[in-house]
Amino acid sequence: MRMKGFRGAFTRLMKEHPDVEQLILTLHRQRGRRMPIPEIHQKMLRALHAKGLQSSDYPFNTVTGGVSGLRCYLKKSDDVVCVL
């Protein structure tokens, strides 16, 4: 069975890289000023690149670099239903 698009890819990415998951959740949940999603996205991409992920790996192999998955993931972490 072939997967349609990248559905579930972001969740898998977070399971494979729990340190990156912790980074994005920490940045998202900062007290005072919440970091905007584009900034969290850039920091996430830098962290994944530093771990050795390449342009052929998700999320680098997508047009948006996984920002939709990140946005949905953060909404879920806030207990909000996200539909892509």
Side-chain angles (χ1 to χ4, degrees):
M1 179 159 45
R2 204 171 150 202
M3 228 169 86
K4 194 172 191 178
F6 292 98
R7 177 172 237 142
F10 195 88
T11 301
R12 261 193 319 281
L13 180 71
M14 294 298 100
K15 286 181 182 178
E16 293 170 3
H17 302 282
D19 54 326
V20 176
E21 177 184 35
Q22 188 59 50
L23 170 70
I24 66 168
L25 290 174
T26 299
L27 294 171
H28 180 65
R29 295 176 177 158
Q30 288 184 83
R31 294 188 188 267
R33 181 182 92 80
R34 240 186 199 186
M35 185 174 286
I37 289 177
E39 285 183 48
I40 296 172
H41 181 244
Q42 287 304 311
K43 290 181 184 291
M44 177 194 78
L45 292 178
R46 278 190 231 116
L48 291 170
H49 189 289
K51 292 179 69 73
L53 273 73
Q54 300 177 355
S55 61
S56 59
D57 298 317
Y58 179 85
F60 298 105
N61 63 350
T62 67
V63 173
T64 64
V67 75
S68 299
L70 172 64
R71 184 173 286 114
C72 186
Y73 194 81
L74 293 175
K75 284 183 180 181
K76 284 181 183 178
S77 79
D78 289 336
D79 294 323
V80 175
V81 176
C82 180
V83 178
L84 294 177

